[in-house]
Amino acid sequence: MTPHTRALGAFYGLALGDALGMPTQSLSREQVKARFGEITALQDAAADQPIAPNMPAGSITDDTEQAILVGQLLVDGRGGIEPTVLAQRLIEWEAMMRAKGSQDLLGPSTKRAIDMILAGHTPEESGRYGTTNGAAMRITPVGIATDVNHSERFIQSVIQACQVTHNTTLGIASAAAVAAVVSAGINGEDLGQALNIGTQVSQQAEQHGHWVAGGRIATRISWARTLSVGSSDKALFTDLLYELIGTSVASQESVVVAFALAQQVAVGEMDAFEALCMAASLGGDTDTIAAMLGAMLGACLGMACWPAAMIEQVKQVNGLDLQPLVEALLALR
């Protein structure tokens, strides 16, 4: 399998996970069960969907759109991201979403950071309260463009993409974890080893950013991966994810859940698409959990792990062609 196939698998896996979770995002697990049973295919969003009302099946959300935005900034900056330029692009992105009448706007940490930038604060200061998963959800292009084997340079690239909105120990460590799995996958590591690398890099990355109280990302990932061991009772496993780890926008919940699900695939309890469907069925921040999971699995297992017809549907519905961006990101590597 070539790095190209793995990189495409990562970015399209992100988009597919995002689209699968689009109709269930912000719903409780009970609401998801009542409306959909379990997600097993791309579904339309209902009229009362809190964030994506009436969006057609296969539609992507902010997770994929902001990852594309970060990817384009990396290509334009030849591997570097200027934090103030990222802030400006995010402001423009939200203005465009508002103009379309979309409810899919900037998340709480990003919104607060942008408001601080507009009020004249520096990028170092603006991200000092960002602890949610907003940086981790859009970090995949950094994993494609940067080799995790050069760990210091890799962590600096992650920080550049996080700083303006998520300049905290939790924000940086969670984004580094996801990006490192993607990068390790593109290097040809198997899924289990890539998850180990993600955990190690997360631990190194938490030396950076403003300290904030909260369960350590690397420690929680290691613990969550043990929850998966021998857990062939899927209902019990999903209860543990939803009730014990949690599925909110907090990075120490949603990012950790994505790793717990990836571990299930690594040990052969389920295949990649099943894991993505489980992420989309959990309730809470389903689109982001499934997007991060899809990026990590696709990087390690390649494009072949995703149903071709569904990828085609996501491409058609969104007018999406990620190939040129993926090639430009790999060229930076």
Side-chain angles (χ1 to χ4, degrees), residues 221-237:
I221 286 172
S222 297
W223 161 73
R225 288 176 66 192
T226 66
L227 286 179
S228 309
V229 176
S231 184
S232 48
D233 182 339
K234 290 201 168 55
L236 176 65
F237 180 62

Side-chain angles (χ1 to χ4, degrees), residues 16-277:
L16 179 60
D18 185 13
L20 284 165
M22 176 274 295
T24 59
Q25 61 183 317
S26 297
L27 301 180
S28 70
R29 191 161 168 227
E30 290 66 35
Q31 287 172 310
V32 174
K33 276 184 180 167
R35 291 181 186 202
F36 301 102
E38 280 182 15
I39 294 289
T40 55
L42 296 164
Q43 300 265 13
D44 294 321
D48 63 347
Q49 213 306 323
I51 297 174
N54 297 313
M55 281 179 80
S59 299
I60 56 169
T61 76
D62 59 336
D63 302 79
T64 310
E65 289 181 357
Q66 289 188 28
I68 291 168
L69 184 153
V70 167
Q72 285 167 339
L73 283 181
L74 277 168
V75 173
D76 294 347
R78 296 187 181 160
I81 290 179
E82 186 56 56
T84 47
V85 179
L86 175 56
Q88 188 54 45
R89 290 284 189 282
L90 288 168
I91 292 166
E92 290 164 5
W93 176 83
E94 187 177 55
M96 192 178 71
M97 297 305 279
R98 282 188 193 282
K100 289 200 303 195
S102 172
Q103 300 302 307
D104 210 355
L105 304 174
L106 296 173
S109 294
T110 301
K111 184 78 188 141
R112 184 175 188 171
I114 296 298
D115 288 344
M116 286 180 74
I117 287 278
L118 292 173
H121 291 270
T122 65
E124 289 77 19
E125 279 299 301
S126 61
R128 69 173 306 153
Y129 305 106
T131 59
T132 52
N133 57 23
M137 79 175 193
R138 56 181 180 244
I139 202 70
T140 290
V142 172
I144 297 173
T146 320
D147 188 345
V148 71
N149 287 333
H150 307 292
S151 62
E152 269 313 302
R153 197 171 78 212
F154 182 82
I155 288 169
Q156 286 308 315
S157 295
V158 171
I159 291 167
Q160 274 192 345
C162 292
Q163 186 186 57
V164 72
T165 57
H166 293 77
N167 193 14
T168 62
T169 47
L170 290 176
I172 292 168
S174 58
V178 174
V181 176
V182 171
S183 185
I186 289 166
N187 282 341
E189 300 288 356
D190 68 33
L191 180 56
Q193 182 55 17
L195 295 173
N196 292 342
I197 291 167
T199 312
Q200 289 157 14
V201 171
S202 176
Q203 209 162 358
Q204 292 168 267
E206 70 183 10
Q207 312 305 319
H208 302 274
H210 294 274
W211 179 82
V212 279
R216 289 175 69 184
I217 298 292
T219 311
R220 281 180 64 82
I221 286 172
S222 297
W223 161 73
R225 288 176 66 192
T226 66
L227 286 179
S228 309
V229 176
S231 184
S232 48
D233 182 339
K234 290 201 168 55
L236 176 65
F237 180 62
T238 48
D239 285 345
L240 284 174
L241 298 183
Y242 185 71
E243 294 170 18
L244 188 59
I245 302 176
T247 59
S248 78
V249 298
S251 54
Q252 65 267 49
E253 293 189 5
S254 46
V255 174
V256 172
V257 162
F259 270 81
L261 283 163
Q263 182 68 21
Q264 286 283 89
V265 180
V267 298
E269 285 291 344
M270 58 180 77
D271 69 27
F273 183 65
E274 276 180 281
L276 226 50
C277 289

